[in-house]
Amino acid sequence: MFKKSLLLFIALTLISCHATKSPIVTTKKAASKNTTYSSRNKKNNTAKPKSRNEVIESTSRTVVTNDIVSNYVLQYKDVAMGNMKTYGIPASIILAQGILESGAGRGDLAVSANNHFGIKCHADWKGDSVRHDDDSSQECFRKYNKVAESYKDHALFLTGKGRYASLFTLDKDDYKAWAKGLRKAGYATDPRYPDKLISYIERYNLGQYDAMVLGTRYIPIENQNTRVVNIESGSEGFYEVQKGDTLYSISKKYNVLVEDLKRKNNLSNNTLSIGQMLKVN
């Protein structure tokens, strides 16, 4: 009887020990795993840089971040370079127009009609169309089945219209001349259209895609010769105007309004000369 009682006691003790060990080990593993996951997420969230918002205004008003614009460039750079090879339009100009006219792919026409260049119907258009307010109410704009069709039609539009013929006499890497030429030929009514295109090309280094097609060496904008100097008589920063500079490009570089630049420097118009010293601070 005593032996049976002893054996029963030992058996109950072993069962009790086994039952308490298992949950403790499982709980610790789960807690360790959850702690590691939370720390990793916290680290990723704090390390991710913030994107800056900007407003793109063309055929519609679109708020985008610089990440959205960069992703747009990555998505369509190959199409732009292909069109440069085929049609002779600088890839930088194609991408800059795409960014501006489509709101980096987020504008109304881009979303509803895959129209990334704001091209209106005109008399020779036989395809689908949509109505959209622009210079006038409910104007007719071209509609495409795919974005690629919009890029191709943009190239055909420029090469097929006589008023743009002078553009194709310009150097393929002279994006500033192309930007100004587009405005002069009537592509857009906005007087600041060239400055907007130039700003996108320089901020996002779109000229590198022209260089890839042309087989030339590209120097990033931030590494090109620009100088900010301090005048000995004062502490205000001055900028020496370089070839190709505009008030708009300088204003974006130093985060100051064009009107403020003109006021600081007593400028009555937007004309600049190489070597001119401008107050920028």
Side-chain angles (χ1 to χ4, degrees), residues 48-52 64-72 204:
K48 187 176 181 179
K50 291 183 178 180
S51 292
R52 188 174 62 183
V64 299
T65 64
N66 49 7
D67 285 345
I68 288 174
V69 177
S70 295
N71 289 335
Y72 181 89
Y204 293 94

Side-chain angles (χ1 to χ4, degrees), residues 17 20 29 60 74 82 98 112 162 167 178 203 216 257 260 279:
C17 290
T20 55
K29 287 181 178 178
S60 62
L74 290 175
S112 65
L167 292 173
W178 275 79
R203 277 192 284 155
T216 57
L257 296 174
D260 287 343
K279 290 182 182 179

Side-chain angles (χ1 to χ4, degrees), residues 4 20 42 52 108 132-133 145 166 195 245 264-265:
K4 289 182 178 180
T20 55
K42 184 176 181 182
R52 188 174 62 183
D108 293 342
H132 181 75
D133 292 346
N145 293 322
S166 60
D195 289 340
D245 277 337
K264 288 174 184 286
N265 295 279

Side-chain angles (χ1 to χ4, degrees), residues 100 176 179-180 183 190-203 244-249 251-252 258 270:
L100 177 57
K176 292 179 180 177
K180 295 172 184 176
R183 167 74 175 89
D190 182 359
R192 295 175 60 240
Y193 193 79
D195 289 340
K196 291 178 180 179
L197 294 183
I198 291 168
S199 174
Y200 284 120
I201 291 170
E202 294 184 344
R203 277 192 284 155
D245 277 337
T246 64
L247 279 177
Y248 182 71
S249 66
S251 74
K252 299 303 291 185
V258 170
N270 294 340

